[in-house]
Amino acid sequence: MGHRKKSAARRGSLGFYPRQRAEEFVPRIKSWPVLSIQEPKLLGFIGYKVGMTHIFMIENRQGLPTYGKEVMKPVTVVEVPPVYVLAVRGYALDTNKGLYPLTEAWSKVPEDLELERRISTLGNFDTEGSIKELQKSLSELKEIRVLIASQPKLTGGLSKKKPDVIEVKVNTPSNDVKKALDFAISKLGQQVSVKDVFQIGQVVDVLAVTKGKGWQGVIKRAGAKQLPRWTKHRKGSRKIGARSHGLGTWWENPSPGQLGFHRRTEYNKRILDIGDDGLKITPSGGFVNYGVVKSSYIILDGSIPGTVKRPVVLRYPIRPPVWYLTMGIKKPQITYISLSSKQGV
């Protein structure tokens, strides 16, 4: 007589537990890569997901079977209007508690940015005095970061005016904090475009909040096997047989709960194109649930987390693939971009 298998591969990675809702729509970058770039540069940017289309390009990754041939790629469009540098923040190092913010300098925010919708404590900052304080504390500083604010009013598909604010690290070449500080001060109160941060052909990490699916059972949430319908259907089939041995519940066992609306990171998404005129990428009738792209945009290879209009944070790759380290940054040749209507697809 047959019996049920006593062992099976577990479903779902425990590295993502607890699977709870994200705290906010804009994800915070928790770790930064160490780059060998010998010039100060912002290591992150923020944009808004537009939608997907497809392109044809000449594959330029050596070693692939399609190298040198024209291939079709599904791509994601992200609208990335220029960001405004609000503040420069210097971090010192404490052996017990790690990095902590030592001092910061804020710029005088223009009224058309409407930042008071996001930060209620805006006032007349002493920018020059704060900059001098940063320079005096240079010997204590270990890391320089800036606060940047997006400009959703410049996009074509968003109706909100409230900017999203994130903190971005400034690359410190050869551990020269002075170069990073001087660079950050020069950008304070200025607008920075995506071309000042990223290049066509490089890979980036994408941080976003995934699409929410609400409360789901173990069949959909954990991929558990549905029990036989004719023998044990009286007690239910879309469930696991037992949560534990009776002495307590094991948290590793699949259980119903929240699915989706999680903060996730997609690694090594290649930038295939960067453009300034969004009308050149907008399909006939506009992108579904978004509309027309009006400002700068980037085209990423493949799909990314989140729904349309959701904030997307882009970061320099923290674990770049071997092929990227070997090949370097090479601009791909795009032969065709689909501008056909996506309505009803």
Side-chain angles (χ1 to χ4, degrees), residues 206-279:
V206 179
L207 294 81
V209 176
T210 62
K211 181 186 295 186
K213 302 180 186 302
W215 187 278
Q216 299 293 338
V218 294
I219 304 299
K220 181 172 181 177
R221 186 171 187 251
K225 184 177 180 180
Q226 189 171 357
L227 296 177
R229 292 212 168 194
W230 301 113
T231 58
K232 294 189 178 181
H233 197 238
R234 178 177 61 86
K235 294 183 179 181
S237 61
R238 298 182 62 86
K239 54 186 292 188
I240 60 175
R243 287 294 307 274
S244 68
H245 44 49
L247 301 178
T249 301
W250 293 331
W251 71 271
E252 300 97 333
N253 285 353
S255 59
Q258 174 68 29
L259 179 62
F261 204 79
H262 307 307
R263 178 195 178 276
R264 292 292 182 261
T265 302
E266 288 276 351
Y267 295 98
N268 302 324
K269 295 293 183 178
R270 192 180 182 196
I271 298 178
L272 301 181
D273 194 16
I274 300 177
D276 296 324
D277 187 4
L279 296 178

Side-chain angles (χ1 to χ4, degrees), residues 10-19 251 263-264:
R10 68 156 290 103
R11 276 82 169 182
S13 171
L14 296 181
F16 292 105
Y17 275 67
R19 298 198 177 194
W251 71 271
R263 178 195 178 276
R264 292 292 182 261

Side-chain angles (χ1 to χ4, degrees), residues 25 40 47 53 72 88 96 140 163-164 216 248 250 303 305 311:
F25 281 101
T53 182
M72 189 274 287
V88 178
N96 294 324
E140 302 178 53
D164 295 308
Q216 299 293 338
W250 293 331
S303 62

Side-chain angles (χ1 to χ4, degrees), residues 174-320:
S174 303
N175 294 323
D176 192 345
V177 182
K178 187 178 185 304
K179 282 186 178 181
L181 180 59
D182 293 340
F183 171 81
I185 293 175
S186 66
K187 297 297 183 181
L188 184 61
Q190 305 293 326
Q191 292 190 11
V192 178
S193 68
V194 69
K195 289 185 177 180
D196 299 329
V197 181
F198 299 123
Q199 304 178 48
I200 300 177
Q202 79 169 94
V203 298
V204 294
D205 296 338
V206 179
L207 294 81
V209 176
T210 62
K211 181 186 295 186
K213 302 180 186 302
W215 187 278
Q216 299 293 338
V218 294
I219 304 299
K220 181 172 181 177
R221 186 171 187 251
K225 184 177 180 180
Q226 189 171 357
L227 296 177
R229 292 212 168 194
W230 301 113
T231 58
K232 294 189 178 181
H233 197 238
R234 178 177 61 86
K235 294 183 179 181
S237 61
R238 298 182 62 86
K239 54 186 292 188
I240 60 175
R243 287 294 307 274
S244 68
H245 44 49
L247 301 178
T249 301
W250 293 331
W251 71 271
E252 300 97 333
N253 285 353
S255 59
Q258 174 68 29
L259 179 62
F261 204 79
H262 307 307
R263 178 195 178 276
R264 292 292 182 261
T265 302
E266 288 276 351
Y267 295 98
N268 302 324
K269 295 293 183 178
R270 192 180 182 196
I271 298 178
L272 301 181
D273 194 16
I274 300 177
D276 296 324
D277 187 4
L279 296 178
K280 294 182 179 180
I281 194 65
T282 303
S284 176
F287 282 95
V288 179
N289 297 328
Y290 190 88
V292 178
V293 180
K294 291 185 178 179
S295 60
S296 302
Y297 66 90
I298 64 174
I299 299 178
L300 298 175
D301 187 4
S303 62
I304 63 175
T307 62
V308 172
K309 301 184 181 180
R310 186 154 292 177
V312 172
V313 177
L314 308 173
R315 177 191 64 187
Y316 269 73
I318 201 166
R319 51 184 193 193

Side-chain angles (χ1 to χ4, degrees), residues 12 43 79 137 264 284 286:
L43 298 184
E79 191 165 9
S137 308
R264 292 292 182 261
S284 176

